Amino acid sequence: MTLDFTELAVAPVRTLPVYQPGKPDSELRRELGVTDIVKLASNENPLGPSPRAQAVLREHAPALARYPDGNGYQMKAALAARLAITPDCITLGNGSDNILEMLARAFLDPDREAVYSEHAFAIYSLVVQATGARARIARPLGDNDAMPYGHDLDAMRELIGPRTRLVFIANPNNPTGTWLSGADLQRFLATVPSDTLVVIDEAYHEYVEADDYTSAVSWLQQFPNLVVTRTFSKIYGLAALRVGYSVSHPAVAELLNRVRSPFNVNAMAQAAATAALDDVEFVTHSRAVNRAGMAQLSAALQRLGLRVLPSATNFLCVDLGRPAQPVYQRLLEQGVIVRPVASYGLPHHLRVTIGTETENQRFLTALQRALGAI
Ligand SMILES: *Cc1c(COP(=O)(O)O)cnc(C)c1O
């Protein structure tokens, strides 16, 4: 008789689903033999890594025999100076996903609850479920709202109770692209009990140009129960290095440090992220390319009669008005990888990362063909 290993796992892990990332282009090459591939599936920067980061990476190879600085002294100093905070507010993560995981480990257990919205970033449900805590999932804003499928802060507030230790808010949200105004968020924070931590995930912060958006970083003094997470995977173009951070009350950072694995951010990642932070020119250029690509894609998609959700990010969530999976497949066959979001409860939508002008055009041509063929 073979051993049922599933029974050996702790209860929360027995039913835990596996995160489904965007399809790597190497996989599409193996599966379909397609060679000329455009990947617009994981909200990466189409311009590649920051040039300053690349220069630092090339220089760093001889130092790789040494363990990284487990406290991330230099990177924290650079971030602290940039954000006008003290370094003891900062926690570094192996991607910001790692921070979300640390938060769940430090603050959740089977007797506690976490609140997040339907259609929110998938990692929230995974990290909560892994601890055995109860997930309270808020109904989203309606189809006719100015931010369709976005976070409904009133609905989220209603689910916060005495057992709630964490609330996850993505601003802007992935996969919808929708955002919350600074005023609405601040009003919400003022109603949350001080023993509930509110995590505001600002993975797309550097892309946001909406007038009513405000980063929560400046509210830390006012709301000590606030945790803000950010990443180097998006505009800084360093997704492969896995580096992100959070800003919180120093006492929260101290608790995260207890559950953090000692060398969670490698030396290359620390050095490259520190250099990328200074690469203001690259960030400005990336934002401009994104702005132009956003205009190009939304105009073309609207000409095709497709509805695009409002987005303050580097991706668009498009309503195809029909099941998206066959369209996704047809795009793959043409070497274009986008992201189906049925697992996020949006089976008629596709999420498309904004690429370079050429990549966007490849996608649009392939989409027209895919829609016509089905
Ligand atoms: C991409 C993304 C992240 C984090 O990615 P890391 O690569 O782990 O830093 C976090 N939150 C949201 C909403 C994202 O879209």
Side-chain angles (χ1 to χ4, degrees), residues 121 142 184 250 268 300 332:
F121 186 47
D184 285 349
M268 286 277 203
L332 284 182

Side-chain angles (χ1 to χ4, degrees), residues 28-68:
L28 181 61
R29 207 167 291 132
R30 280 197 303 277
E31 286 176 358
L32 297 181
V34 187
T35 48
D36 186 12
I37 295 170
V38 170
K39 187 188 176 209
L40 301 173
S42 301
N43 305 339
E44 297 139 337
N45 189 331
L47 304 177
S50 138
R52 287 205 194 192
Q54 291 190 52
V56 167
L57 287 169
R58 280 189 291 269
E59 286 160 19
H60 199 85
L64 287 178
R66 303 284 174 201
Y67 279 97

Side-chain angles (χ1 to χ4, degrees), residues 99-326:
I99 306 262
L100 301 171
E101 197 184 341
M102 286 190 254
L103 283 161
R105 267 186 80 193
F107 294 101
L108 296 178
D109 71 16
D111 295 324
R112 298 171 178 212
E113 299 180 355
V115 172
Y116 52 87
S117 176
E118 197 181 336
H119 312 305
F121 186 47
I123 298 293
Y124 311 151
S125 76
L126 293 178
V127 299
V128 170
Q129 211 184 314
T131 67
R134 180 173 179 209
R136 308 290 313 268
I137 305 168
R139 82 181 125 70
L141 292 170
D143 191 50
N144 292 323
D145 195 276
M147 293 291 161
Y149 313 110
H151 292 14
D152 182 335
L153 291 176
D154 294 330
M156 294 184 77
R157 181 63 192 86
E158 280 169 28
L159 296 182
I160 298 175
R163 291 170 186 268
T164 312
R165 285 295 161 275
L166 291 178
V167 176
F168 292 98
I169 293 176
N171 194 35
N173 183 44
N174 170 13
T176 57
T178 53
W179 67 97
L180 294 159
S181 76
D184 285 349
L185 252 184
Q186 247 184 327
R187 258 194 302 277
F188 170 80
L189 287 166
T191 72
V192 176
S194 56
D195 59 358
T196 296
L197 294 182
V198 180
V199 183
I200 303 191
D201 177 345
E202 295 185 351
Y204 299 94
H205 164 77
E206 299 83 1
Y207 277 114
V208 183
E209 300 192 293
D211 292 335
D212 59 351
Y213 168 88
T214 316
S215 167
V217 167
S218 56
W219 304 336
L220 275 164
Q221 296 290 336
Q222 198 183 343
F223 303 111
N225 56 337
L226 188 60
V227 182
V228 183
T229 64
R230 292 203 186 153
T231 182
F232 284 87
S233 300
K234 305 287 157 66
I235 210 165
Y236 294 104
L238 299 175
L241 285 179
R242 315 301 305 124
V243 53
Y245 62 96
S246 67
V247 176
S248 67
H249 190 284
V252 171
E254 197 276 322
L255 289 164
L256 295 181
N257 200 32
R258 298 184 193 192
V259 297
R260 186 177 65 83
S261 59
F263 301 105
N264 64 327
V265 181
N266 72 71
M268 286 277 203
Q270 289 185 37
T274 307
L277 198 62
D278 268 341
D279 206 339
V280 178
E281 207 180 314
F282 177 73
V283 170
T284 306
H285 179 55
S286 298
R287 207 183 289 121
V289 168
N290 190 63
R291 191 184 307 124
M294 170 92 79
Q296 177 194 5
L297 278 180
S298 25
L301 291 166
Q302 273 155 24
R303 272 199 298 278
L304 292 174
L306 302 175
R307 183 188 185 207
V308 177
L309 301 187
S311 170
T313 64
N314 67 337
F315 61 84
L316 285 172
C317 195
V318 192
D319 186 355
L320 301 179
R322 59 168 114 176
Q325 188 61 28

Side-chain angles (χ1 to χ4, degrees), residues 296-297 300-301 304 360-369:
Q296 177 194 5
L297 278 180
L301 291 166
L304 292 174
N360 297 336
Q361 196 47 59
R362 265 282 302 276
F363 160 71
L364 289 167
T365 307
L367 180 67
Q368 267 173 288
R369 218 179 272 167

